[in-house]
Amino acid sequence: MTPFRYFATASVGYLASAFLIAVPAAASAAQINGMQVNFIKGSCQQLFLGKEQFAPQCSDKLMSTAYPNRRVGFHFVLDDGRGLSFSGMDGENPSSETDIVNIDKVIVNAKDGTDAPVDYQATGTCIYGNPYDGPMTVTCQGKTKDGRKFSGIFTSDGSAPE
């Protein structure tokens, strides 16, 4: 598989974004203050933090962000303007076809960016495949420091990231 370049979290509360995507190093991505940004189209099968269910409000796009320091973010955008993001450091890939991010933070964004995002310390992983090889799934799971489980599952429609 082509080596990946990863995308990390910025001030997610004000990006009104979606989720992380791995992108081959040769692909072009938007650059914002050193951060690379991509969007993937598809559908959200699962998204929750503790008892709060977000999947019914998921948009059809997921945003990925990556910084040069290897911090990566997957950003689920909700139809009402909120967002739920999973952020962490690029991990050792389990296989040549699969990539992993070690989650250390879950970020909840307020509607319209009027309130500051709320960050929760967390442990978990996001595992995903190459979005340039057709449909693929991003699966994030773990637990916040205060004990709430979280999960986000997004499957691409197979089109190339934007």
Side-chain angles (χ1 to χ4, degrees):
M1 181 194 288
T2 306
F4 287 97
R5 180 171 291 262
Y6 294 90
F7 301 86
T9 316
S11 186
V12 177
Y14 304 105
L15 289 177
S17 44
F19 201 35
L20 167 65
I21 306 306
V23 177
S28 63
Q31 292 275 334
I32 303 171
N33 295 326
M35 173 184 66
Q36 293 183 332
V37 180
N38 270 349
F39 288 89
I40 188 169
K41 292 181 183 177
S43 62
C44 176
Q45 287 78 49
Q46 186 175 81
L47 185 62
F48 68 83
L49 173 59
K51 294 180 182 177
E52 199 165 359
Q53 297 290 328
F54 297 99
Q57 297 90 31
C58 275
S59 74
D60 64 351
K61 288 187 180 179
L62 177 66
M63 185 177 81
S64 69
T65 56
Y67 283 106
N69 70 356
R70 300 175 53 99
R71 178 159 285 277
V72 176
F74 292 100
H75 315 285
F76 288 85
V77 177
L78 306 179
D79 290 332
D80 66 3
R82 292 180 298 157
L84 183 63
S85 302
F86 305 106
S87 177
M89 300 304 287
D90 176 28
E92 188 166 329
N93 299 337
S95 76
S96 63
E97 298 298 319
T98 307
D99 291 319
I100 192 166
V101 173
N102 296 309
I103 301 302
D104 59 14
K105 189 184 299 191
V106 174
I107 304 163
V108 179
N109 301 312
K111 290 182 183 180
D112 305 322
T114 55
D115 294 326
V118 179
D119 293 4
Y120 298 96
Q121 289 183 344
T123 57
T125 58
C126 289
I127 299 173
Y128 54 100
N130 184 345
Y132 290 91
D133 284 347
M136 65 87 175
T137 299
V138 179
T139 302
C140 298
Q141 296 180 336
K143 193 167 29 171
T144 61
K145 187 175 180 180
D146 62 8
R148 290 180 288 166
K149 291 182 180 180
F150 64 83
S151 180
I153 301 174
F154 188 93
T155 300
S156 75
D157 65 7
S159 61
E162 302 172 349

